[in-house]
Amino acid sequence: MQLSDSHAHVYSEQFKPDRDDMLLRAFEAGVRTIFMPNIDHTSIDAMLEVEANYPTQCFAQMGLHPCHVTRQFEKELYEVETWLNRRPFAAVGECGIDLYWDKTHLAEQQEALRIQVGLAKKHNLPLVLHTREAFREAADIITAAQDGSLRGVFHCFSGTRAEAEEVIHLGFKLGIGGVATFKNGGLDKVLPGLDLEHLLLETDCPYLAPVPHRGKRNEPAYLPLVARRVAEILGKDVEEVAEATTRNTLALFGEAPTR
Ligand SMILES: [Zn+2]
């Protein structure tokens, strides 16, 4: 089985003790490519170091995570823009709106997302969107900006069937991760009947480990657990799910985006 992890923070501090072993486990599990979304200015060096060490497997993306949008977000976005002008990245992200922890900076989050949508257009890059308790707010911004040129993924999708259809209608993909394996994750009611062409697989590691590792540190080697569960929900062969989602991920982010 060949897989692509479309969303993995493998540069995280949490992997410091065993990063090389962790990545080896991923490659041995069939996860051949790993796409790394950025968080903010503090995560860039570590992310680019992993990419430099694994130039044919791990690919960096550039953006500002909504949970790290504060009143000073313009300084952060200046850094994002500088990097995007400096070298190629696989996507703009992760960006979006997150109202789960804190609603204080909604206006700033909306503005930061609009600016990053503009950067995606300017650099002709896909968007990696993070939305939590804020699907409507984020989808409204994408809808307003969609002129046919925007593409990307709603990562860690865990919304309703209607929201999934809205994402597809917007020309975006659904990023499916460990939530698919959770008993009350709800994706067993959302995914049946959806065409595989709309789906990407992801771990979002070190977060959201799939069952039976739920609650522990997640890593890309667990991606086959997500693939198997998605195949089960769709009533398809796991090989077919792996092949299609890998193809979708590489088509969206580029086979070797940094070269
Ligand atoms: Zn993430």
Side-chain angles (χ1 to χ4, degrees), residues 7 9 37 39 65 94 130 155 204-205 207:
H7 195 107
H9 302 270
I39 299 290
H65 192 292
E94 58 183 296
H130 167 116
H155 116 80
D204 198 16
C205 68
Y207 318 107

Side-chain angles (χ1 to χ4, degrees), residues 29-183:
V31 182
R32 303 282 167 78
T33 43
I34 296 171
F35 291 89
M36 302 181 288
N38 189 43
I39 299 290
D40 67 5
H41 75 276
T42 66
S43 51
I44 297 172
D45 286 352
M47 177 177 71
L48 295 182
E49 192 185 321
V50 172
E51 192 193 56
N53 290 336
Y54 296 90
T56 59
Q57 293 116 331
C58 299
F59 305 106
Q61 303 171 337
M62 182 49 64
L64 174 62
H65 192 292
C67 291
H68 294 253
V69 169
T70 62
R71 214 156 273 151
Q72 288 86 46
F73 75 96
E74 275 156 335
K75 231 174 103 185
E76 287 277 357
L77 285 183
Y78 179 75
E79 179 120 3
V80 166
E81 204 175 344
T82 305
W83 273 106
L84 286 170
N85 286 329
R86 194 179 288 165
R87 47 149 283 175
F89 285 93
V92 172
E94 58 183 296
C95 54
I97 301 184
D98 190 317
L99 300 178
Y100 179 77
W101 297 109
D102 191 359
K103 294 180 176 63
T104 323
H105 296 299
L106 172 60
E108 287 89 349
Q109 287 191 37
Q110 286 169 316
E111 185 57 15
L113 176 55
R114 278 188 210 103
I115 291 169
Q116 290 179 90
V117 167
L119 289 172
K121 279 188 181 174
K122 182 180 167 203
H123 294 275
N124 190 25
L125 286 171
L127 277 163
V128 174
L129 294 171
H130 167 116
T131 77
R132 199 170 179 197
E133 312 252 307
F135 178 82
R136 187 73 271 133
E137 288 83 350
D140 282 349
I141 288 173
I142 301 303
T143 303
Q146 182 55 292
D147 55 6
S149 72
L150 284 179
R151 63 199 195 281
V153 56
F154 279 68
H155 116 80
C156 191
F157 183 81
S158 56
T160 63
R161 176 69 181 217
E163 288 168 349
E165 279 163 11
E166 188 172 343
V167 167
I168 291 166
H169 185 69
L170 275 169
F172 279 62
K173 307 288 181 196
L174 303 161
I176 306 298
V179 173
T181 69
F182 297 174
K183 205 180 253 167

